[in-house]
Amino acid sequence: MGTDKNMGRPQTRILLTTATGPYGVSDGYAEAVGMQMELFNNQITREQGVHSPRASFWTFPLYFLAENISVPSTVLDFPTWRDFTRELGKGYSHVGISFIQTNVMKVKRMADYIRTRHPEMKIILGGYGAALPDLEKLVPHDEVCHGEGISWLRQYFGEDPSMPVRHPTMHGVVRKHVYGMQTVSDDSSVLFPGLGCSNGCFFCATSAKFGGKYIPILPTGESVFKTCLRAEERLGVREFAVIDENFLKTPDRARDLLRLMEENGRNYHFWIFASAEAVTAVGVDFLVRLGVCALWMGLETSKEMFGKLGGIDVRSLISELQAKGISVISSSILFMEHHDPRSLDEDIDWAIGMGTDLHQFMQLTPLPGTPLYKRYLEEGKLIPGFPYQRLSGQIALSFLHNNFTTDDAGEITRMAFRRKYEADGPGIVNMARTALAGYERALADSVERDRIGLGWNWSTMRYDRAGRSEPDTFMQGRIRFLRQRAREFRPILPASLLFSPNAAARARSAALMRRYRTVFGKPSFQDVAGYIVLIATGALEWLRHLAARILGRDELVRQPRCRRIEYPAGPKGMQ
Ligand code: SF4
């Protein structure tokens, strides 16, 4: 760790930036596989064309850093080359670049430029790309931050690294398109309760980056609740993407959060990551009450290797989650060491057979810094000179596999996404079905609980007779939310039917439209207007996809807009 020789001088000022765009474009600095800055499009609705919801997320670590240092700073998120070079002209003593491995050649270009045009500026590298073993040779720099960046940067600038962390209040999404229509505004925010994961799965870059530890940022239910409250007051949002690898691993925090929400009459909604064992431990009813509307569950492989699925009937658990209105996004790993063509095929079928709303297939990838990388390096299994730009886990294997060639892996991966799409249809329709089922179930369960005299029991964290007291007004609010959420999906259905990939998907969309009619009655004027608009924008989007394919592109790419925010000098205060 270095010390800042300029520390204390008035000109100390840091630019915090991402790698420059364009993204998702093969241009000598990066490879194109879909739109790599879009989680939905690139990783969980790949191959779903016009049905794929499109959304880029802001680069949250940059805002965390800027909020938590006293040195004046500027965040430049998703800059073009021109944005970046112009910004440098405004005068900085330091430039911090956060990047992932696939963007390393962009960062080299940025650093080369700084060295040539602004040799006085110090270059600090961070993010997952910081783990690359030959970073010294590849990218000119002065410092590398390997782990948690806030305390590192505070220490670097001579500040107190143990100061409490201030959580930024911000929207999560740059912009969103559904069937080609841009949504008017972002009604969600993000929460970072903690970093890293203590499970230590051998392939996991997140666990490796934070030394196999979980580092809490919002350690209590109260701190999470206050962050939600602040976001509601400042941004008017009630929905949160919880970026924490396993939020439920600290069940007391989740319970306290629910208790505070109930005491204060606040009905927030969450997208979370959680393993099957953590979900089983707290129970699905608890998650419904907490307001979880979507959950990402890592399945990895049918062969129990990571202690996440042991002894759990995962298929039943997923069905229960969906029946109670929680969309399940699952993920699995292809080309594990035990895979041969037959067992890989069986694992793909197994993952699809889980029937989740959405699924991510990711290739086993020995990312620098992970135990897997170290072992493969020792065993001579890493492919020499494998370009970092291709290290996305979607294109090709970066190691020698006994049963697959590196380039075959790309097509097998693409076909796995295709199989999921053809088996279960568009993910967005699955989410609509789950939302509607959740509303119906919550209503029916509430009536039944009233009939037989059950209530929420804080001691057992279940519904039972001992928990029965006042009318359950909190859950009534939750049911209103589930109704509203289900209704919000209705306008997509005719477009989903029109652009269905096959007869089975078409039949499912038609059945869901009938179900909506049974539950909510005839479509309203607003619904019909939504149908017409989404069919029209969906048709345009379909043509854009066609044009992209004719031009030889894998995916339709929309560049996220650049955002620039200045942060003044001085302590930013406490939460
Ligand atoms: S459980 Fe998930 S986040 Fe934790 S180490 Fe394993 S893969 Fe990584």
Side-chain angles (χ1 to χ4, degrees), residues 21-69:
Y23 309 99
V25 174
S26 192
D27 61 358
Y29 299 105
E31 284 280 338
V33 190
M35 179 47 183
Q36 291 179 350
M37 309 312 269
E38 292 186 23
L39 171 73
F40 256 92
N41 178 246
N42 194 42
Q43 290 180 32
I44 49 179
T45 56
R46 193 175 160 195
E47 290 296 309
Q48 297 196 7
V50 69
H51 303 283
S52 172
R54 309 296 304 259
S56 309
F57 294 89
W58 296 113
T59 312
F60 308 117
L62 300 182
Y63 303 89
F64 261 93
L65 293 171
E67 291 255 7
N68 285 284
I69 54 173

Side-chain angles (χ1 to χ4, degrees), residues 396-443:
L397 298 183
S398 60
F399 64 97
L400 300 168
H401 195 291
N402 287 341
N403 299 311
F404 300 95
T405 67
T406 180
D407 286 324
D408 285 351
E411 184 55 14
I412 293 171
T413 307
R414 193 180 71 76
M415 286 312 295
F417 278 100
R418 190 79 209 168
R419 274 161 70 177
K420 166 73 180 165
Y421 178 42
E422 283 172 1
D424 287 344
I428 192 165
V429 178
N430 300 332
M431 292 181 77
R433 190 181 308 108
T434 299
L436 184 60
Y439 166 60
E440 290 187 82
R441 178 67 181 265
L443 203 57

Side-chain angles (χ1 to χ4, degrees), residues 196-201 203-207 245-246 275 300 306 308:
C197 178
S198 55
N199 273 18
C201 301
F203 59 85
C204 180
T206 302
S207 190
E245 297 296 344
N246 210 333
S275 56
E300 321 311 5
F306 301 101
K308 296 195 256 188

